[in-house]
Amino acid sequence: MSYSAKIGPSILSSDLACLGSECVRMMECGADYLHLDVMDGHFVPNITFGHPMVECLRSCVGPDPFFDMHMMVSRPEQWVKPMAAAGANQYTFHLESTTNAGNLIKEIRETGMKVGLAIKPGTTVEELAPWAGQIDMALVMTVEPGFGGQKFMEDMMPKVSWLRSQFPSLDIEVDGGVGPSTIHKCAEAGANMIVSGSAVVSSDDPRSVITMLRTAVSEAMQKRSLDR
Ligand SMILES: O=C(CO)[C@@H](O)[C@H](O)COP(=O)(O)O
Ligand SMILES: [Fe+2]
């Protein structure tokens, strides 16, 4: 097993006027990485921020925190180089947003960033499967992308279980409505990278929530390895 349990707060739910200090706070509370949601108002019905903000966040937090860019945009090809230059570490694009995933994967790799591939709830995991050998991470959305604070879609868990059974060492991320009450489903299905927005950011004790989420994933991983 080459993957590990990692918790990445989504800062979309934080006070957007204080994004830099919110990123620092999340890292101080034990986050393993930061999940940055980029929305263009076209691929999804909401707008967030782009590479100039990412560049500012990078200067604010320093070189170490890993930035997982969740690119909810219609033309993901357009932002690969700007995001790499701004300090992004992983470029996670949506399979639904491109007609040439193979070329995009190559372009992302050429910048030195890692490659993430996301699917919306209506996209089957079989459509993602042909690319699984070429990516670093698969993101199974557990809400319709666009907004934080939505209800977790448990019916996405068979996608995660299937991916884990087919690709035992792939990083598998879940995103949307994940928190203490839904983490066990994700962990049992085999997700190891956990995005959590409102449950972490709005908590009075984000450190405890992050620790709880990581423990749930680690215990499920241990159980899977004993069962084998
Ligand atoms: O990409 C998205 C939404 O489109 C997510 O990253 C959410 O921002 C996560 O927030 P919660 O659902 O955990 O509150
Ligand atoms: Fe996201």
Side-chain angles (χ1 to χ4, degrees), residues 1 3 27 42-43 85 138 140 158 170 172 183-184 194-195 201 215:
M1 189 192 305
Y3 61 90
M27 293 310 296
H42 191 259
F43 183 73
V140 175
L170 183 66
I172 303 176
I183 186 63
H184 291 100
I194 308 300
V195 176
V201 172
T215 303

Side-chain angles (χ1 to χ4, degrees), residues 10 12 35-39 68 70-72 94 139 141 145 173 175-176 195:
S10 155
L12 191 59
H35 177 88
L36 305 183
D37 290 300
V38 175
M39 303 184 187
D68 169 31
H70 182 188
M71 301 300 297
M72 288 165 274
H94 270 265
L139 164 54
M141 287 303 295
E173 185 177 67
D175 181 14
V195 176

Side-chain angles (χ1 to χ4, degrees), residues 8-224:
S10 155
I11 52 160
L12 191 59
S13 324
S14 52
D15 179 348
L16 298 180
C18 310
L19 270 192
S21 55
E22 283 294 274
C23 286
V24 171
R25 184 170 76 100
M26 288 300 115
M27 293 310 296
E28 285 172 356
C29 286
D32 297 291
Y33 68 102
L34 295 169
H35 177 88
L36 305 183
D37 290 300
V38 175
M39 303 184 187
D40 67 351
H42 191 259
F43 183 73
V44 289
N46 196 5
I47 296 181
T48 56
F49 51 80
H51 58 95
M53 173 68 90
V54 176
E55 193 176 339
C56 294
L57 292 177
R58 177 56 77 202
S59 327
C60 181
V61 301
D64 292 339
F66 186 91
F67 284 179
D68 169 31
M69 305 306 310
H70 182 188
M71 301 300 297
M72 288 165 274
V73 300
S74 287
R75 292 172 57 204
E77 296 80 8
Q78 193 176 351
W79 309 114
V80 172
K81 286 188 179 135
M83 281 297 178
N89 301 99
Q90 176 160 280
Y91 196 89
T92 301
F93 67 96
H94 270 265
L95 187 55
E96 305 85 2
S97 68
T98 182
T99 50
N100 196 341
N103 199 46
L104 185 49
I105 291 170
K106 189 169 153 279
E107 282 176 19
I108 298 168
R109 287 243 177 271
E110 278 167 7
T111 67
M113 291 187 289
K114 287 185 155 193
V115 181
L117 182 55
I119 50 170
K120 297 205 299 189
T123 303
T124 66
V125 80
E126 285 79 9
E127 293 170 75
L128 183 149
W131 307 107
Q134 299 178 43
I135 60 178
D136 297 292
M137 186 200 79
L139 164 54
V140 175
M141 287 303 295
T142 45
V143 296
E144 282 300 336
F147 300 92
Q150 300 184 77
K151 188 172 180 293
F152 175 74
M153 296 169 72
E154 189 178 337
D155 54 341
M156 295 298 118
M157 291 304 97
K159 293 187 189 179
V160 176
S161 310
W162 187 83
L163 274 176
R164 179 55 70 217
S165 69
Q166 299 299 306
F167 307 101
S169 55
L170 183 66
D171 274 328
I172 303 176
E173 185 177 67
V174 282
D175 181 14
V178 183
S181 61
T182 52
I183 186 63
H184 291 100
K185 303 277 179 206
C186 303
E188 277 157 27
N192 68 300
M193 290 184 72
I194 308 300
V195 176
S196 184
S198 34
V200 170
V201 172
S202 312
S203 163
D204 292 338
D205 188 357
R207 175 179 293 278
S208 300
V209 178
I210 290 172
T211 304
M212 184 270 163
L213 298 175
R214 194 186 295 107
T215 303
V217 175
S218 299
E219 285 177 357
M221 279 166 54
Q222 221 167 357
K223 183 166 181 302
R224 258 196 312 281

